[in-house]
Amino acid sequence: MSKTVAIYPGTFDPVTNGHVHIVKRSLKLFDKVIIAVANDNYKSTIFSTAERVELMEKCFEDEPNVEVDIFSGLIADYSVEKNAHALIRGLRAISDFEYEMQMAAMNRTLNSELETIFLMTDAKYSFISSTIIKNVACLGGEIRTLVPVVVVKALEEKYQKESKYYGE
Ligand code: COA
């Protein structure tokens, strides 16, 4: 029997506990989840693509049904390449809805075999985004309950290096 494969795309700059939770829940619905880390061209990121992939791999090193990959170009084409018929997206608040609806409709226009599956983000993570985590970490705030341990360390190193560079 063929395996069900879903793709979870994002920038993941950096991965948060909200993202990790979505992947874990997706594994109950699909045999395999491919975490597709968007290449550098989409957003300006503080972590390079290789760093974002490495952090994600560390989060799922004990999970054989998760693959972490890099993608560029259209996600609709990438899903054909990976023989996946489902895209996973997390919905945090009503404000996510309009953008997500547009993306889902466009992706299905580009690839009629591709369905977008929305999972409601757990309430305890509904207020976080990668940007807000970076803002708080940069100012020395507490983020340990919101991101994986490897990300706490990576952010500390990143911002220590930056403050040295600027002579603080
Ligand atoms: N927990 C925590 N944060 C979450 C979250 C969750 N469950 N779900 C979303 N977020 C946050 C992300 O951290 C991100 O925060 P940021 O904006 O501060 O970085 C924000 O919500 C938006 O995330 P997301 O919607 O996943 O967007 P993205 O920018 O990370 O990724 C792509 C978007 C790359 C998947 C999308 O642009 C894409 O598919 N591009 C490929 C090109 C393409 O095919 N375009 C046509 C599509 S219509």
Side-chain angles (χ1 to χ4, degrees):
M1 212 173 73
S2 67
K3 285 192 165 187
T4 54
V5 179
I7 293 175
Y8 182 40
T11 311
F12 307 116
D13 184 49
V15 51
T16 69
N17 285 348
H19 297 128
V20 171
H21 198 239
I22 295 280
V23 174
K24 287 186 175 163
R25 287 163 61 201
S26 304
L27 285 169
K28 293 181 187 157
L29 304 173
F30 296 93
D31 297 318
K32 179 176 174 182
V33 174
I34 300 173
I35 301 173
V37 178
N39 215 339
D40 285 330
N41 348 341
Y42 298 110
K43 273 182 180 175
S44 74
T45 57
I46 63 157
F47 292 103
S48 67
T49 308
E51 286 172 325
R52 286 179 281 131
V53 166
E54 193 187 344
L55 288 173
M56 196 56 106
E57 282 174 342
K58 282 184 182 159
C59 294
F60 292 102
E61 58 192 0
D62 297 325
E63 186 42 78
N65 297 324
V66 168
E67 175 187 329
V68 183
D69 193 19
I70 300 170
F71 86 100
S72 47
L74 289 172
I75 197 72
D77 293 340
Y78 176 79
S79 13
V80 174
E81 196 187 300
K82 289 288 179 179
N83 199 21
H85 300 285
L87 275 187
I88 305 283
R89 300 291 292 166
L91 277 184
R92 289 164 303 168
I94 196 77
S95 50
D96 283 343
F97 180 80
E98 202 172 325
Y99 171 63
E100 291 297 336
M101 196 192 69
Q102 273 185 322
M103 281 220 298
M106 180 52 89
N107 281 328
R108 208 144 67 87
T109 303
L110 294 169
N111 174 359
S112 59
E113 297 295 310
L114 188 60
E115 291 292 345
T116 304
I117 312 290
F118 294 103
L119 296 182
M120 298 304 297
T121 299
D122 195 271
K124 61 180 178 290
Y125 304 126
S126 61
F127 64 96
I128 58 174
S129 68
S130 298
T131 301
I132 207 164
I133 291 291
K134 285 179 281 191
N135 287 345
V136 173
C138 171
L139 299 169
E142 180 58 64
I143 51 162
R144 274 178 292 184
T145 57
L146 303 174
V147 294
V149 180
V150 284
V151 173
V152 176
K153 287 188 190 144
L155 282 167
E156 276 170 7
E157 280 169 23
K158 190 65 80 182
Y159 288 122
Q160 262 165 23
K161 270 190 203 150
E162 279 190 12
S163 61
K164 267 188 209 149
Y165 180 79
Y166 291 110
E168 284 162 26

